[in-house]
Amino acid sequence: MEKRIPSREELQKALLARCTREEAEKLWNAKIAVAGLGGLGSNVSVFLTRAGVGHLHLIDFDKVDMTNLNRQHYFISHLGMDKTEALKEQLLQINPWLDIETSCERVTEENIPRLFQNAGIICEAFDRPENKAMLVNGCLEHFPEKPLVCASGMGGFGRSNDIVTRQVGRNFYLCGDGTSGIEEGQGLAAPRVALCAAHEANLILELILEKN
C-alpha cells in the first residue's frame, strides 16, 4: 500500500506542535552547516531535522563503512555510499520538505570561506583534533560573528553527566567532557557520542530561538 506523503503544512504542524508560531518560523528559516557526518554530525542532523530546522548543509568527504555502524546514524544498506547522500536519504524520510545542501568534499583552510558563507550557525563534528582546530581557527578568522558549536571529549564509557556545554568565546561554544579522547582501548560508543551530539543540537536550537 502506497503511503501518502504529508503536505509541508501538515508535517510542520506535527513537528512543531509544541512551539509558538514565532519559534516555528525561526526553526524553519534557520540555516545550519554540519561539518563532519560521523557519530556527532549524523546524530546532530537527525536531531535538528526532528526539531523542525528547515535548512541543513551537510559536509563530509567520506563514505559509509562497517566501522561506522557502532555509533553513526547509518545502516547496512548505506555501506559504500557517500555519507552526504546516505544521511540526506534518511533526513528526507523524516521530513521530505527539508532543504538540504550537500558538499562531498574535505574541509580545508582554503574552502572554509566558500563552504560556510551561507550558514547562520556552524556545527563542528570532526573526529580528529587537528581537523577541529583547523575549522575553529578558520571560522573565527572568516566568520567571527557566526555562532560556532564544537565538541571535544566523548570517548569511552564514562559518566553521562560529565558531558557539558560551555561558552568559551563570544560566539564559540564547546560540548563534551573536555578530556576523554579516542585512544586505543578507550574507543567510541554510541550512547556517549550521541549524548555529546544531543548537547550540540540542543545548543543550536537555543541559539536559533535566542534562549541561551
Side-chain angles (χ1 to χ4, degrees):
M1 179 179 176
E2 186 175 348
K3 290 183 170 60
R4 184 181 73 87
I5 296 177
S7 70
R8 173 180 162 180
E9 292 72 22
E10 288 175 309
L11 192 55
Q12 287 302 102
K13 185 176 180 179
L15 287 173
L16 299 166
R18 292 172 175 81
C19 294
T20 66
R21 179 181 294 274
E22 181 184 10
E23 289 172 337
E25 289 179 355
K26 285 182 177 181
L27 290 168
W28 183 249
N29 291 326
K31 296 181 178 181
I32 313 301
V34 182
L37 304 178
L40 289 170
S42 62
N43 283 296
V44 167
S45 300
V46 169
F47 295 149
L48 294 179
T49 298
R50 293 194 186 280
V53 169
H55 307 271
L56 291 177
H57 185 182
L58 309 178
I59 305 168
D60 200 305
F61 69 94
D62 207 0
K63 296 182 182 294
V64 180
D65 70 35
M66 284 188 287
T67 65
N68 302 147
L69 300 180
N70 71 341
R71 67 193 185 283
Q72 301 182 19
H73 209 288
Y74 301 107
F75 305 97
I76 293 291
S77 61
H78 295 129
L79 292 176
M81 289 180 64
D82 291 333
K83 287 184 177 180
T84 49
E85 292 306 308
L87 188 57
K88 178 179 178 178
E89 177 184 284
Q90 295 181 71
L91 300 181
L92 291 177
Q93 286 292 309
I94 299 171
N95 184 353
W97 306 104
L98 181 65
D99 174 44
I100 301 177
E101 179 183 357
T102 61
S103 295
C104 186
E105 58 184 295
R106 188 188 297 271
V107 177
T108 65
E109 292 180 3
E110 291 72 28
N111 64 22
I112 284 174
R114 170 175 57 84
L115 286 174
F116 301 100
Q117 61 183 337
N118 295 324
I121 299 174
I122 300 167
C123 177
E124 177 276 312
F126 291 143
D127 286 336
R128 298 184 179 278
E130 60 269 26
N131 293 336
K132 291 175 181 288
M134 178 267 296
L135 180 60
V136 168
N137 290 334
C139 288
L140 292 178
E141 176 184 354
H142 296 288
F143 307 112
E145 77 286 355
K146 294 187 181 186
L148 174 62
V149 178
C150 301
S152 177
M154 75 288 307
F157 303 89
R159 291 173 56 86
S160 299
N161 291 341
D162 288 343
I163 295 177
V164 297
T165 298
R166 296 177 290 129
Q167 183 171 359
V168 293
R170 184 169 66 89
N171 286 314
F172 183 19
Y173 303 85
L174 190 61
C175 305
D177 64 24
T179 57
S180 63
I182 54 174
E183 297 83 6
E184 189 69 28
Q186 185 167 20
L188 290 164
R192 199 161 155 84
V193 172
L195 277 169
C196 193
H199 270 258
E200 287 196 284
N202 193 55
L203 175 58
I204 290 168
L205 296 178
E206 288 187 35
L207 293 169
I208 293 169
L209 299 175
E210 300 173 332
K211 292 183 179 294
N212 63 308

